[in-house]
Amino acid sequence: MKTKSKFVIGDIQGCYKEFRNLIKLIDPNKENKIFCVGDLVNRGPESEKMIDYVLENNIQSVYGNHDLHLMAILLGQRKHGKKDTLKKVISKNKQIEIIEHFLGFSFAKLMSYKNKKTLVVHAGVLPSWSDIDIQASNDELMHDLRKDPEEFFSTMYSDRSKAISKSTNKKNRRRYLVNVFTRMRFISDKNKLDLQTKLKKSGSKKFKPWFAFEHRCLKDIENIIFGHWAALNGVTNHNRIKGIDLGCVWGGSLAAINIDDKSIITVDSVK
């Protein structure tokens, strides 16, 4: 019996036409496993169609910052911004269904294939984290999110950039962990985040791309797959850390990576 393939798809951000074109290439017979790296919605033209597909086909994902933002809006904890393209999602009157489905996501996901483990996150993980630390941080956030979603989102938005213990300030620690998993690009050797720079290089010499450090979790995990950072165009110069946000929403490409052989399949943005 042929083994089903597992694919992780990069940042879709409401680019539904490109998503469907990619699905035709990687899963023409609807038999492979599809997982997403987050940012399913927002900025692109058809977030409402993407949401319908996700709900109807039980698509799973890790959280991206835009997915969390949609949940916050639906729960009345954030207003729709000028740059957001989520009004058609909001008007569908599927708030409960969307929230319930999205609460099944996670901030980090370990996927296994042929006894090899691949970690999927939206933005990244701290170099000092082991695979156990990653799971513990994810579980900590998921416990708080599922316990009281309104409270979680009412206090989530922050540029908290410094690590902090839970015993010192639980809300600030939670903000920091959310920023690590969903917003991080550059960090210092002391795990401080630069949340302002979105280009390939930071303006400060003390910050480096998070994947440029030695990662403790790679002792137990074969690969890390992430999205979020379109400016990289997937280039990390690290053969075990793979970026798959190719900037589809900005006119680039939408990518999927096969977690078995690490082959990458892309479709161009629809002009």
Side-chain angles (χ1 to χ4, degrees):
M1 183 177 176
K2 184 180 178 181
T3 304
K4 295 179 180 180
S5 297
K6 293 182 179 180
F7 290 94
V8 179
I9 296 178
D11 301 42
I12 301 163
Q13 294 196 247
C15 295
Y16 180 71
K17 291 185 177 67
E18 293 87 342
F19 170 74
R20 292 307 302 268
N21 289 341
L22 185 60
I23 290 294
K24 290 176 184 177
L25 292 179
I26 66 175
D27 195 24
N29 299 317
K30 295 186 177 181
E31 60 184 8
N32 295 326
K33 183 175 178 62
I34 304 298
F35 194 80
C36 294
V37 81
D39 279 2
L40 300 170
V41 297
N42 211 11
R43 300 290 194 264
E46 296 181 310
S47 289
E48 73 284 357
K49 291 183 179 180
M50 193 63 222
I51 286 293
D52 284 343
Y53 189 97
V54 166
L55 296 177
E56 291 167 7
N57 294 275
N58 193 28
I59 299 297
Q60 297 297 309
S61 178
V62 289
Y63 292 114
N65 48 301
H66 288 291
D67 308 313
L68 294 174
H69 184 57
L70 171 61
M71 295 175 76
I73 292 172
L74 293 177
L75 288 167
Q77 301 303 319
R78 203 71 173 180
K79 292 183 179 180
H80 190 277
K82 292 181 180 179
K83 295 182 179 180
D84 295 329
T85 58
L86 298 168
K87 288 185 177 179
K88 290 184 179 179
V89 177
I90 298 168
S91 66
K92 292 181 78 66
N93 293 321
K94 290 186 176 181
Q95 287 92 332
I96 294 176
E97 191 175 353
I98 294 169
I99 293 296
E100 287 182 348
H101 185 81
F102 276 38
L103 284 175
F105 294 173
S106 59
F107 288 89
K109 174 72 173 181
L110 274 176
M111 302 180 70
S112 298
Y113 192 88
K114 296 181 178 179
N115 297 319
K116 294 181 179 180
K117 293 191 290 186
T118 293
L119 173 69
V120 183
V121 289
H122 181 65
V125 292
L126 295 180
S128 58
W129 279 349
S130 67
D131 59 334
I132 295 174
D133 295 328
I134 293 167
Q135 191 60 55
S137 297
N138 172 75
D139 291 349
E140 183 180 329
L141 288 176
M142 291 310 304
H143 173 270
D144 289 352
L145 174 56
R146 289 170 177 159
K147 180 181 178 182
D148 191 340
E150 286 86 356
E151 191 276 336
F152 185 95
F153 288 114
S154 72
T155 59
M156 181 187 75
Y157 288 84
S158 166
D159 284 335
R160 178 74 197 184
S161 62
K162 294 182 180 179
I164 190 170
S165 68
K166 184 164 55 175
S167 60
T168 303
N169 189 313
K170 183 177 180 180
K171 288 181 180 178
N172 275 341
R173 173 175 167 80
R174 193 164 70 192
R175 290 169 178 139
Y176 176 75
L177 293 179
V178 169
N179 288 340
V180 168
F181 280 126
T182 68
R183 296 179 61 200
M184 177 173 67
R185 293 185 177 92
F186 294 97
I187 60 172
S188 72
D189 57 5
K190 295 182 179 180
N191 289 340
K192 183 178 180 181
L193 312 181
D194 172 6
L195 295 172
Q196 308 308 316
T197 307
K198 298 184 179 181
L199 304 176
K200 294 181 182 180
K201 294 183 179 180
S202 174
S204 173
K205 292 183 179 180
K206 71 178 182 180
F207 291 105
K208 295 194 296 185
W210 66 270
F211 50 79
F213 293 84
E214 183 176 347
H215 277 262
R216 185 180 172 195
C217 71
L218 289 177
K219 294 178 181 179
D220 301 296
I221 294 169
E222 187 74 13
N223 295 98
I224 302 173
I225 296 172
F226 73 102
H228 184 60
W229 201 342
L232 295 174
N233 200 34
V235 178
T236 63
N237 295 316
H238 195 304
N239 62 7
R240 295 176 65 189
I241 301 180
K242 311 289 185 180
I244 56 168
D245 181 3
L246 303 189
C248 183
V249 74
W250 311 116
S253 303
L254 184 62
I257 185 169
N258 186 319
I259 70 166
D260 177 24
D261 60 15
K262 304 305 179 291
S263 60
I264 294 179
I265 299 93
T266 64
V267 295
D268 292 337
S269 174
V270 177
K271 300 296 188 290

